[in-house]
Amino acid sequence: FKKAAQSQPSIIFIDEFDSIAFNRNGQTGSPMILMGGRTGIHELLALMDGFKGRGKVFVIATTNFINLIDPAALRPGRFDKVIRIPLPAKSARKDILTYYLDKVPNKRILNIDRLVNRTQGMAGADIANVVNLAVMNATRRGSHVEDEDIDQSVERVRIGIVRTSVRQTPEELLLTAYHEAGHALVKAITSGVKELDTLTILPKGGSLGHTSYHPPEHNFRTREDLLSMLDTAFGGRVAEEIFYDLDHVTSGCGSDMQQAARIAGLMVNSFGMGSFLSVAPDKRTEKASQLLEFDREEDVSKLLDESYARTKKLFDVPRNKAALKQLALKLIELETIKGSELQNLISELLSVQTS
């Protein structure tokens, strides 16, 4: 700040602003850490107040967690202008991808439009990382950068690298295949095949298999979208129940259940998409707040129970159950199915009429 004052006009840029300007209320941790954090924000605010009317010094900060910033830092005269930077839309992703790929000397003719679709939901830094990983893949192979290198990099950024140290038995592979096929089929039935991206039983990240989807281009979700996400989360568990039994459902469903609970909680508590519109507890008496909280929990449970029942009903249809088995067996054969191949396969399986 002293150097900026001596070099006017000047700009002070603070990255990861939440690390020094976090909310002083409700913090947890050791007394020494809290004391240091409070001292830091106190000093920062005092320095900013000291610049008022003393020249042209601009202070800019960035954060991914504005909800963690101390309210005092956002008052007029401090960081009072907030500019939210959304994730890049399709046209912006194409420009970003083209910019980084133009710097790659050894590359074949790439299908840019297809690659742009594969980077839905990614920030500019993610896309830069994808291109960098693709160059590394091609260098290790001693070849040019190809579409497949980009595909592998996207999957690595989204999911993680393949864990070659993990060895699954044939029984485990089949169970994983049924689980992931269950997710994919429910998504296809409730939202259409166009949202499907990759289906794999190769261990990546922290899971033994993975089903990935194209994030939507729009910045909102309808109630229908969220119900589809709920049903899709239950798809893996229901598939395990169908081809094994309730006592042999695996712990691999745990993360799916957590995701379903999170979605249902948001629908009830944040989006007003439950049985009633939520009312903030602080506008009621303590007793009324407790009753309202109980009603909300009941509403969340109702959404989860209804979603589970809907998903089970989907596989009561013979065609869907047959498609689940065929997709799982095909996944065992190929290990990974993605893109148009996956979409066409599921469309074909769901269109076959059973006698």
Side-chain angles (χ1 to χ4, degrees):
F1 275 79
K2 182 178 180 181
K3 186 179 293 185
Q6 296 170 348
S7 308
Q8 298 182 40
S10 56
I11 297 174
I12 298 173
F13 175 73
I14 307 173
D15 198 11
E16 305 294 348
F17 188 49
D18 50 278
S19 65
I20 60 171
F22 54 77
N23 196 326
R24 289 165 288 183
N25 297 320
Q27 291 295 319
T28 58
S30 71
M32 291 301 293
I33 292 176
L34 292 178
M35 185 180 299
R38 290 194 177 102
T39 301
I41 183 64
H42 288 158
E43 184 176 359
L44 173 66
L45 297 179
L47 286 168
M48 291 193 66
D49 290 341
F51 272 115
K52 290 180 180 178
R54 294 190 180 183
K56 297 180 180 179
V57 178
F58 300 89
V59 187
I60 302 173
T62 62
T63 180
N64 288 320
F65 306 99
I66 193 170
N67 57 304
L68 301 181
I69 303 299
D70 194 293
L74 303 177
R75 289 175 185 162
R78 294 172 178 171
F79 292 93
D80 53 356
K81 293 180 176 62
V82 178
I83 301 174
R84 299 181 184 274
I85 311 297
L87 292 173
K90 188 172 183 177
S91 59
R93 291 199 311 275
K94 185 172 183 177
D95 291 340
I96 295 170
L97 194 57
T98 302
Y99 171 78
Y100 287 112
L101 286 174
D102 283 345
K103 297 182 178 183
V104 179
N106 297 320
K107 60 179 180 292
R108 299 194 186 280
I109 298 177
L110 302 174
N111 187 338
I112 296 296
D113 290 333
R114 189 185 72 83
L115 298 178
V116 167
N117 290 333
R118 293 227 62 203
T119 56
Q120 279 180 271
M122 287 189 173
D126 295 324
I127 296 174
N129 190 26
V130 163
V131 175
N132 185 50
L133 291 172
V135 172
M136 293 171 62
N137 288 340
T139 302
R140 281 193 294 266
R141 203 176 61 252
S143 181
H144 302 283
V145 173
E146 301 176 352
D147 285 347
E148 182 62 26
D149 295 306
I150 302 290
D151 287 339
Q152 291 178 9
S153 300
V154 168
E155 291 176 15
R156 179 170 177 176
V157 170
R158 288 196 193 281
I159 311 168
I161 62 174
V162 176
R163 293 184 292 157
T164 55
S165 59
V166 177
R167 293 289 183 269
Q168 296 188 74
T169 65
E171 292 78 14
E172 290 172 331
L173 282 172
L174 184 59
L175 190 148
T176 301
Y178 276 127
H179 182 104
E180 301 304 334
H183 286 311
L185 279 174
V186 174
K187 172 58 74 172
I189 294 169
T190 58
S191 294
V193 297
K194 290 299 182 182
E195 289 195 25
L196 292 170
D197 181 25
T198 302
L199 185 62
T200 183
I201 53 173
L202 295 177
K204 293 185 178 184
S207 62
L208 296 179
H210 190 79
T211 307
S212 62
Y213 318 99
H214 292 299
E217 290 288 353
H218 51 264
N219 296 317
F220 58 85
R221 292 280 195 178
T222 65
R223 189 173 190 273
E224 184 181 29
D225 292 335
L226 294 169
L227 289 177
S228 171
M229 293 169 65
L230 268 182
D231 295 354
T232 300
F234 279 108
R237 177 191 171 104
V238 170
E240 290 187 19
E241 290 181 18
I242 290 173
F243 288 97
Y244 294 87
D245 56 58
L246 192 58
D247 290 334
H248 290 85
V249 169
T250 66
S251 58
C253 301
S255 60
D256 297 331
M257 299 301 98
Q258 292 172 11
Q259 181 185 13
R262 182 183 65 81
I263 295 169
L266 287 171
M267 291 178 69
V268 171
N269 297 315
S270 299
F271 306 148
M273 294 182 178
S275 299
F276 57 91
L277 293 177
S278 298
V279 180
D282 57 4
K283 295 182 181 178
R284 299 284 187 137
T285 64
E286 182 179 352
K287 183 177 181 180
S289 296
Q290 292 174 352
L291 292 173
L292 181 60
E293 185 65 28
F294 177 77
D295 288 340
R296 286 175 172 172
E297 291 176 359
E298 288 287 303
D299 219 12
V300 170
S301 296
K302 180 182 176 183
L303 280 174
L304 293 172
D305 290 342
E306 290 175 348
S307 175
Y308 176 61
R310 270 196 314 272
T311 307
K312 291 190 71 172
K313 191 173 181 179
L314 285 179
F315 289 113
D316 286 340
V317 178
R319 177 182 61 187
N320 296 343
K321 185 175 180 180
L324 175 62
K325 183 175 182 179
Q326 293 173 53
L327 181 59
L329 295 177
K330 192 67 175 179
L331 188 54
I332 289 288
E333 175 188 343
L334 300 178
E335 292 187 333
T336 298
I337 316 172
K338 55 190 176 184
S340 59
E341 181 185 5
L342 173 61
Q343 296 170 5
N344 293 337
L345 173 60
I346 291 183
S347 295
E348 181 182 342
L349 291 175
L350 291 177
S351 66
V352 175
Q353 298 293 327
T354 55
S355 58

